[in-house]
């Protein structure tokens, strides 16, 4: 049987939409929400750019990927991952606008860095 390979961007976007529909941060689980966004984006980055994004720090990811994406995409990725790190490790609670922005930036990052048909 042939194994169906679902493109990394489709998996990531589906996971982000599922997370959004679960209304995790609206139920007060802000740390979990940002942790999941970070994990989804890291998993996507790992599959899309072929390096162990789940096993390294945010700074290491940004260093590894900076030559592979444009400045705006890099800045968006930095915001997503650093905000998640603060929510996870510094017990910072992002405000509602930041919660919404992280989801939006994550979707934009995936959509703007996905493989083109000719790649």
């Amino acid at each position: 049987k042939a194994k169906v390979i679902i493109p990394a961007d489709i998996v990531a976007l589906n996971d982000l939409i599922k997370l959004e529909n679960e209304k995790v941060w609206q139920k007060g689980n802000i740390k979990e929400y940002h942790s999941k966004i970070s994990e989804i984006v890291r998993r996507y980055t790992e599959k899309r750019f072929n390096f162990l994004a789940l096993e390294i720090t945010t700074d290491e990811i940004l260093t590894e990927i900076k030559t592979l994406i444009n400045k705006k995409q890099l800045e968006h990725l930095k915001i997503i991952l650093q905000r998640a790190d603060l929510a996870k490790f510094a017990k910072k609670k992002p405000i509602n606008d930041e919660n919404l922005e992280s989801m939006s930036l994550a979707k934009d990052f995936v959509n703007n860095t996905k493989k083109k048909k000719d790649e």
Side-chain angles (χ1 to χ4, degrees):
K1 228 182 197 184
K3 187 177 177 189
V4 177
I5 298 173
I6 302 169
D9 59 291
I10 301 297
V11 173
L13 289 171
N14 285 341
D15 288 348
L16 288 167
I17 290 166
K18 181 179 177 217
L19 176 61
E20 191 173 37
N21 291 337
E22 289 172 354
K23 302 209 178 297
V24 174
W25 70 266
Q26 294 91 329
K27 295 174 185 170
N29 300 318
I30 294 170
K31 178 180 172 182
E32 178 187 349
Y33 175 76
H34 287 278
S35 294
K36 285 185 175 184
I37 289 176
S38 176
E39 183 181 337
I40 292 165
V41 169
R42 284 169 178 263
R43 192 175 298 119
Y44 164 77
T45 302
E46 189 167 286
K47 289 183 175 141
R48 171 64 179 90
F49 298 102
N50 299 312
F51 66 90
L52 295 176
L54 287 165
E55 307 297 326
I56 60 179
T57 66
T58 293
D59 286 344
E60 290 169 326
I61 290 171
L62 297 173
T63 299
E64 185 78 30
I65 204 170
K66 73 180 175 193
T67 60
L68 305 173
I69 59 177
N70 69 38
K71 270 189 170 162
K72 184 177 177 187
Q73 294 160 347
L74 185 65
E75 189 57 35
H76 288 177
L77 181 61
K78 183 178 180 180
I79 291 167
I80 295 162
L81 297 179
Q82 286 182 343
R83 187 174 287 152
D85 288 349
L86 288 171
K88 288 191 292 189
F89 304 118
K91 304 205 182 345
K92 183 179 179 304
K93 290 202 185 305
I95 61 172
N96 292 351
D97 286 348
E98 291 172 326
N99 296 328
L100 293 169
E101 181 189 44
S102 285
M103 178 61 72
S104 176
L105 291 176
K107 288 178 183 175
D108 287 349
F109 177 76
V110 172
N111 279 317
N112 293 323
T113 60
K114 66 185 176 187
K115 283 190 178 184
K116 308 288 182 259
K117 296 244 186 276
D118 56 353
E119 280 187 67

